[in-house]
Amino acid sequence: MAQEYFDFTNDLIFRWVMEREENCLAILRAILPELKITAVKRRENEHPVNYLAFDDERGVRFDAIIEDDQERFYDVEMQVANQPGLGNRVRYYQAQLDQETLKKGEDYDDLRESYVIFFCAFDPCGQDRRLYQFHYYEDDDRQLRLPTN
């Protein structure tokens, strides 16, 4: 009888890995070394967003939410199926993360720096690369960015 092995893309394994602070820290440091993250302050797996105003609104269940020692937030997602709309999904998750972390009465300047990270079991852009990073740039001058923290 062949032994069945599970990898990082398996939901149970992914949650098990993300439950441990040292794993979260190592993953974030590997992906974003320029941030010089020194500690993970808080983490939650399978974090639902429950503030839907209308029954027909689409909800979100973040795979893993992490807050670092500098109060930056990270949504870490596992995407196994190559389905259309990944860019829009990232955009939606970013908006939900911002909405989740900005409390009623706070100014928009109080929005915290945040990152949405998707681990994909496929190459989402077909460029034969392991890592893609997307930012908000001005089209003619990529050094110019709209201040978003």
Side-chain angles (χ1 to χ4, degrees), residues 78-124:
M78 178 59 64
Q79 183 67 36
V80 177
N82 188 358
Q83 299 172 335
L86 183 63
N88 286 334
R89 185 171 175 197
V90 171
R91 177 179 148 204
Y92 189 74
Y93 277 44
Q94 182 74 58
Q96 297 299 312
L97 183 58
D98 285 344
Q99 197 167 22
E100 179 81 355
T101 58
L102 188 66
K103 304 302 177 211
K104 188 175 182 175
E106 290 181 327
D107 291 331
Y108 291 112
D109 287 339
D110 294 329
L111 271 173
R112 302 211 224 143
E113 190 173 345
S114 62
Y115 298 83
V116 176
I117 299 166
F118 270 75
F119 284 104
C120 297
F122 54 91
D123 183 351

Side-chain angles (χ1 to χ4, degrees), residues 130-143:
R130 290 178 163 215
L131 178 66
Y132 297 94
Q133 291 183 317
F134 298 95
H135 305 273
Y136 293 105
Y137 298 114
E138 199 283 326
D139 287 342
D140 293 328
D141 179 359
R142 289 188 173 222
Q143 299 303 315

Side-chain angles (χ1 to χ4, degrees), residues 18-111:
M18 297 307 289
E19 282 176 358
R20 286 156 182 74
E21 181 178 331
E22 63 273 12
N23 295 340
C24 293
L25 184 58
I27 288 168
L28 293 178
R29 282 179 171 168
I31 296 170
L32 299 163
E34 68 277 9
L35 295 183
K36 299 186 182 355
I37 302 166
T38 58
V40 170
K41 186 171 154 182
R42 175 175 75 93
R43 66 199 175 288
E44 280 183 59
N45 285 342
E46 295 289 317
H47 177 82
V49 177
N50 293 322
Y51 57 82
L52 301 178
F54 304 100
D55 290 338
D56 62 347
E57 287 184 358
R58 182 167 188 126
V60 169
R61 180 179 303 273
F62 295 123
D63 286 349
I65 292 291
I66 304 167
E67 182 181 8
D68 74 11
D69 57 319
Q70 296 171 45
E71 297 187 346
R72 295 176 289 215
F73 278 92
Y74 307 85
D75 167 28
V76 182
E77 299 290 327
M78 178 59 64
Q79 183 67 36
V80 177
N82 188 358
Q83 299 172 335
L86 183 63
N88 286 334
R89 185 171 175 197
V90 171
R91 177 179 148 204
Y92 189 74
Y93 277 44
Q94 182 74 58
Q96 297 299 312
L97 183 58
D98 285 344
Q99 197 167 22
E100 179 81 355
T101 58
L102 188 66
K103 304 302 177 211
K104 188 175 182 175
E106 290 181 327
D107 291 331
Y108 291 112
D109 287 339
D110 294 329
L111 271 173

